[in-house]
Amino acid sequence: MPKATPSHDGTPQAWDRPAEPPAPPLIPLAPAESTTDTGLPASTADTVRRLRGAHRAAVRRTVVVAVALAVVLLGLLAASLLLGGLRGMTVADVLPAAFGLRTGLADYVMHGIRFPRALTALLSGALFGLSGALYQRLIRNPLATPDIVGISAGAGAGAVTVLLYAPAFAFGVEAAAVGGAFAMVGLVLALSRRGGRVDTYRLVLIGIGMAAVCTAYVNYLLTAAGEQSLAQVMRWLIGSVSGATWDGVTKLAVGLGVCVIVALPLTRALGAMSLGDQLASGLGTRVPAARVGALLLGAAAAALATSVTGPIGFVSLVAGPIAVRLVGADRAVPLAVPVGAAIVLGADVAAQHAPLVSPVPTGVLTALFGAPYFVWLILRRRPGASS
């Protein structure tokens, strides 16, 4: 091969220079993403539309379920008021008496017995459902409800103490029930902490143990009670709405109204806390205050219902999961109120009129159907799961 001949200025000729590497192939640029009238990219706008559609569908489903529950409650309320009969009352007397168009026996039966009983069942069930849904949403464990972790047992222990030794004390039963529930909340939380945080599995087990302690305390009190007091307290401990009065209805109605008002902002806070405490704090949620508020509100709701009807078991355990299946976890807390009301009112109607069952206290039927559900939750729990 001939050598490169330098030009007169000393640079090699073009045919003598080494070949340049080939240029890389041109990669076509992606076309610019189109935008919508709002200025958002098309993909983002499509995602927003889907989220809005899902939200509207969830709202429609919630409205439909709420209307259906309202119809169910009205049907159960009518059944509780109109079913059954007494000697001296005819069918033609029952319905007019419900609207205050009769006097005498029919008026007394409707407004002195049936209306207070039905409303007590409805309002107490709503309080039990609210308390259970708050605890399940906060602790993220379907077993962590007031009647399982000992809150209702603590309320019952306080109420029985006053029933036996200070029955004439004004609002003594209610105050003792709420005080016992709050004391049990503090004790169970203190004993279930491990490594600076609450272990939900330990909370459930410790709560069951503390409930047994409260039951033993109540049994000890009953050994010293007279026969008349013993019969009254034993029926109350099973959980019953028989013997309901308008005074109890007023207490439950006022308590439910206050609890629902306080629960509305707590529900939003619990929704943010389900994403994690750090993210919830970043979104402006006061996590410690919301946690303490939900615990105390759930305990107060369960204690107030317990002070009037006794510990009607497993309502708070079942109402929340039913509400979750109906409308999802985000809207389960408010919907647990009518679900709990329907459970207790339906159980009371069955306790009064169901063949082969009636008459029994309402708590017997709720326990009969709630206990198998509790066992099912235990069996389906995955080993090593913390919630």
Side-chain angles (χ1 to χ4, degrees):
M1 180 180 293
K3 295 183 179 179
T5 304
S7 63
H8 65 276
D9 57 358
T11 60
Q13 297 296 326
W15 56 82
D16 294 324
R17 291 195 299 268
E20 296 181 356
L26 296 178
I27 301 176
L29 297 176
E33 188 173 1
S34 61
T35 59
T36 60
D37 295 338
T38 60
L40 295 174
S43 60
T44 304
D46 183 63
T47 302
V48 171
R49 282 195 299 270
R50 291 184 180 182
L51 291 175
R52 288 177 177 174
H55 176 72
R56 286 193 294 267
V59 171
R60 286 195 299 269
R61 180 173 181 176
T62 302
V63 171
V64 170
V65 170
V67 171
L69 283 173
V71 172
V72 170
L73 284 173
L74 288 176
L76 290 174
L77 186 62
S80 179
L81 295 175
L82 303 179
L83 288 181
L86 292 176
R87 188 174 300 174
M89 283 183 57
T90 63
V91 177
D93 292 329
V94 173
L95 191 59
F99 294 95
L101 302 178
R102 288 287 189 275
T103 58
L105 179 62
D107 179 72
Y108 171 74
V109 169
M110 295 303 297
H111 294 91
I113 299 177
R114 294 188 182 179
F115 261 114
R117 176 165 185 158
L119 293 178
T120 297
L122 187 150
L123 295 171
S124 63
L127 285 168
F128 281 126
L130 176 63
S131 66
L134 282 172
Y135 271 59
Q136 289 167 335
R137 182 70 166 160
L138 173 65
I139 305 176
R140 294 192 285 274
N141 190 325
L143 299 177
T145 58
D147 52 352
I148 300 300
V149 301
I151 308 303
S152 297
V160 168
T161 303
V162 174
L163 281 172
L164 292 178
Y165 296 105
F169 186 68
F171 298 104
V173 176
E174 292 81 6
V178 174
F182 284 0
M184 190 60 63
V185 168
L187 186 60
V188 171
L189 286 179
L191 294 176
S192 61
R193 295 185 69 86
R194 182 171 61 181
R197 61 184 295 272
V198 175
D199 187 328
T200 58
Y201 190 55
R202 289 184 64 181
L203 183 143
V204 172
L205 294 179
I206 290 172
I208 293 174
M210 296 308 301
V213 171
C214 291
T215 301
Y217 168 74
V218 170
N219 291 336
Y220 170 76
L221 293 180
L222 294 178
T223 59
E227 292 185 3
Q228 183 175 0
S229 299
L230 180 62
Q232 177 185 1
V233 172
M234 286 300 296
R235 188 169 184 84
W236 181 87
L237 284 174
I238 297 173
S240 176
V241 295
S242 63
T245 63
W246 284 108
D247 183 44
V249 171
T250 302
K251 294 175 184 177
L252 291 174
V254 173
L256 178 61
V258 173
C259 289
V260 168
I261 292 174
V262 177
L264 290 177
L266 282 177
T267 301
R268 291 190 291 269
L270 292 177
M273 290 167 61
S274 65
L275 304 174
D277 290 355
Q278 292 183 350
L279 183 56
S281 299
L283 294 174
T285 302
R286 297 180 179 179
V287 174
R291 180 176 289 112
V292 173
L295 288 171
L296 295 181
L297 180 62
L304 180 59
T306 301
S307 68
V308 176
T309 66
I312 299 179
F314 298 102
V315 178
S316 59
L317 178 72
V318 176
I322 291 177
V324 169
R325 289 185 175 274
L326 289 175
V327 296
D330 292 338
R331 296 174 174 83
V333 173
L335 198 76
V337 173
V339 170
I343 291 173
V344 177
L345 187 56
D348 185 56
V349 172
Q352 294 181 77
H353 307 293
L356 304 177
V357 175
S358 64
V360 294
T362 308
V364 172
L365 289 185
T366 60
L368 181 64
F369 293 103
Y373 178 75
F374 174 70
V375 173
W376 178 74
L377 285 178
I378 293 292
L379 295 177
R380 72 186 291 266
R381 184 182 182 274
R382 296 186 303 272
S386 61
S387 61

